[in-house]
């Protein structure tokens, strides 16, 4: 009697176990598909990607969990930082392999700065999200030591931002202010930086005229340049030169904007002293057009 009753019981458990396994497979498939959909949608709405699924954001006090930039090294893991985008370059292409990349600079609440790079396919998804002067919670980006002699920010480390990086926009009331992001250098101070290609100076000026483009010698060849006449709040005119690697994007954009006398912020320009002091682009230069900072508003009103 016991044996005859055990057969349906065992069959029942086999069926139940099979159903349970099918349910687990179904749930896994559901969340896998949900992740695929969320990855695309969340980036379009500036929320988060893969790592965001590992955290229950409703139970985390993000403000208390955040660290400052000096605490970020290549040994960190499971970190968050509250950062504002203060620089964003045009998309460039590597001279070695032609890979596209984009450079950014972030600042924290104590004005510490760190540079970041987005590569290749990640640019099309992430570039529209990380807007200039917007604040974000950034987490678990890949951090590496900078090996090049000149770098963009105060930190000796850099972040690589990809689709796996945690990114969440900060609410307007908790955002970092943009008016403290830059320490500006006046034209009268530029003589202190002649030939110092590693100087992290910021120049705010208005563009009043575009000179005719011309070719100049550079090594064993002639290269195109575009010169602009600029002026700052000291009412002192100066020449700013864009070299060939900047001409196709920033040069064309600025030349079209000249009739409106735009305000530009030059981050890490090269200071030249040929005949007279002038400014020029170099590999570490990033050009910001009509920056949304109080100093730019004051210069525009002037």
């Amino acid at each position: 009697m016991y044996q005859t009753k055990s057969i349906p019981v065992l069959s029942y458990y086999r069926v139940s176990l099979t159903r349970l396994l099918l349910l687990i497979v179904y749930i896994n498939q559901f969340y896998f598909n949900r992740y695929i959909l969320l990855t695309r949608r969340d980036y379009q709405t500036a929320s988060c990607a893969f790592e965001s699924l590992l955290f229950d954001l409703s139970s985390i006090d993000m403000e208390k969990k955040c660290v400052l930039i000096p605490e970020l090294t290549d040994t960190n893991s499971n970190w968050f930082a509250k950062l504002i985008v203060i620089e964003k370059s045009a998309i460039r292409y590597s001279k070695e392999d032609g890979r596209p990349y984009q450079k950014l600079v972030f600042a924290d609440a104590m004005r510490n700065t760190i540079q970041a790079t987005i590569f290749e396919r990640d640019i099309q998804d992430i570039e529209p999200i990380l807007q200039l002067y917007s604040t974000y919670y950034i987490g678990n980006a890949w951090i590496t030591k900078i090996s090049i002699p000149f770098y963009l920010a105060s930190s000796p480390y850099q972040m690589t931002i990809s689709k796996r990086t945690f990114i969440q926009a900060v609410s307007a009331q908790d955002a970092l202010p943009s008016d403290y992001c830059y320490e500006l250098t006046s034209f009268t101070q530029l003589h202190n930086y002649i030939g110092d290609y590693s100087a992290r100076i910021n120049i705010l000026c208005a563009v009043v005229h575009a000179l005719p483009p011309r070719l100049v010698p550079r090594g064993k060849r002639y290269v195109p340049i575009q010169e602009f006449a600029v002026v700052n709040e000291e009412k002192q005119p100066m020449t700013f030169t864009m070299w060939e690697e900047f001409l196709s994007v920033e040069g064309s954009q600025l030349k079209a904007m000249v009739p409106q006398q735009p305000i530009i912020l030059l981050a890490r320009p090269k200071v030249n002293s040929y005949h007279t002091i002038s400014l020029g682009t170099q590999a570490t230069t990033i050009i910001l057009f009509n920056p949304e900072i109080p100093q730019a508003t004051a210069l525009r009103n002037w």
Side-chain angles (χ1 to χ4, degrees), residues 124-138:
Q124 65 180 358
D125 289 320
I126 301 175
E127 190 276 336
I129 295 172
L130 295 175
Q131 294 296 311
L132 199 61
Y133 307 121
S134 293
T135 305
Y136 302 89
Y137 296 119
I138 307 290

Side-chain angles (χ1 to χ4, degrees), residues 4-23:
T4 57
K5 289 187 177 182
S6 66
I7 293 175
V9 171
L10 290 174
S11 300
Y12 171 79
Y13 279 111
R14 289 193 188 101
V15 172
S16 298
L17 181 59
T18 302
R19 289 177 178 175
L20 179 60
L21 291 174
L22 288 174
L23 180 61

Side-chain angles (χ1 to χ4, degrees), residues 33-51:
N33 291 335
R34 181 173 179 269
Y35 164 68
I36 296 298
L37 294 174
L38 278 175
T39 298
R40 187 70 177 181
R41 183 174 68 240
D42 285 350
Y43 266 110
Q44 291 175 345
T45 58
S47 57
C48 53
F50 180 76
E51 272 76 13

Side-chain angles (χ1 to χ4, degrees), residues 239-254:
T239 301
F240 166 56
T241 303
M242 277 196 197
W243 289 81
E244 57 178 336
E245 56 268 28
F246 287 81
L247 295 183
S248 60
V249 180
E250 293 97 331
S252 298
Q253 183 178 351
L254 186 55

Side-chain angles (χ1 to χ4, degrees), residues 36-251:
I36 296 298
L37 294 174
L38 278 175
T39 298
R40 187 70 177 181
R41 183 174 68 240
D42 285 350
Y43 266 110
Q44 291 175 345
T45 58
S47 57
C48 53
F50 180 76
E51 272 76 13
S52 67
L53 300 178
L54 303 179
F55 298 96
D56 179 8
L57 296 184
S58 62
S59 65
I60 294 178
D61 185 343
M62 295 296 293
E63 293 292 325
K64 293 181 180 179
K65 195 173 182 67
C66 288
V67 299
L68 294 174
I69 287 173
E71 300 175 64
L72 298 178
T73 69
D74 51 3
T75 61
N76 287 90
S77 61
N78 297 326
W79 56 267
F80 291 99
K82 182 178 178 180
L83 305 172
I84 181 173
V85 182
I86 63 170
E87 293 183 29
K88 189 175 180 181
S89 77
I91 297 173
R92 304 243 184 263
Y93 295 87
S94 170
K95 294 181 180 179
E96 287 75 21
D97 54 17
R99 295 172 63 196
Y101 66 91
Q102 185 175 39
K103 292 286 187 182
L104 301 97
V105 176
F106 293 95
D108 63 19
M110 301 302 293
R111 299 193 182 187
N112 304 300
T113 56
I114 188 170
Q115 67 189 61
T117 308
I118 313 171
F119 290 103
E120 298 186 283
R121 295 180 181 178
D122 292 330
I123 296 175
Q124 65 180 358
D125 289 320
I126 301 175
E127 190 276 336
I129 295 172
L130 295 175
Q131 294 296 311
L132 199 61
Y133 307 121
S134 293
T135 305
Y136 302 89
Y137 296 119
I138 307 290
N140 286 342
W142 185 34
I143 300 180
T144 54
K145 184 82 171 180
I146 298 175
S147 58
I148 57 177
F150 305 134
Y151 44 92
L152 310 184
S154 60
S155 173
Y157 294 90
Q158 62 182 341
M159 299 191 299
T160 298
I161 297 179
S162 69
K163 293 177 183 178
R164 295 177 63 87
T165 304
F166 178 92
I167 303 173
Q168 179 177 302
V170 174
S171 61
Q173 62 267 25
D174 294 325
L176 297 174
S178 62
D179 57 354
Y180 83 107
C181 294
Y182 311 100
E183 184 176 345
L184 301 177
T185 301
S186 66
F187 284 179
T188 56
Q189 297 173 304
L190 290 178
H191 66 277
N192 296 316
Y193 303 100
I194 295 173
D196 185 0
Y197 299 157
S198 63
R200 292 194 295 271
I201 60 175
N202 300 298
I203 303 295
L204 188 71
C205 54
V207 181
V208 296
H209 182 63
L211 282 68
R214 60 192 181 96
L215 296 174
V216 297
R218 195 179 200 182
K220 297 181 179 180
R221 62 192 182 99
Y222 281 82
V223 298
I225 63 170
Q226 175 67 62
E227 296 168 300
F228 298 90
V230 299
V231 64
N232 70 346
E233 75 283 353
E234 302 165 296
K235 302 180 182 179
Q236 182 178 345
M238 188 167 291
T239 301
F240 166 56
T241 303
M242 277 196 197
W243 289 81
E244 57 178 336
E245 56 268 28
F246 287 81
L247 295 183
S248 60
V249 180
E250 293 97 331

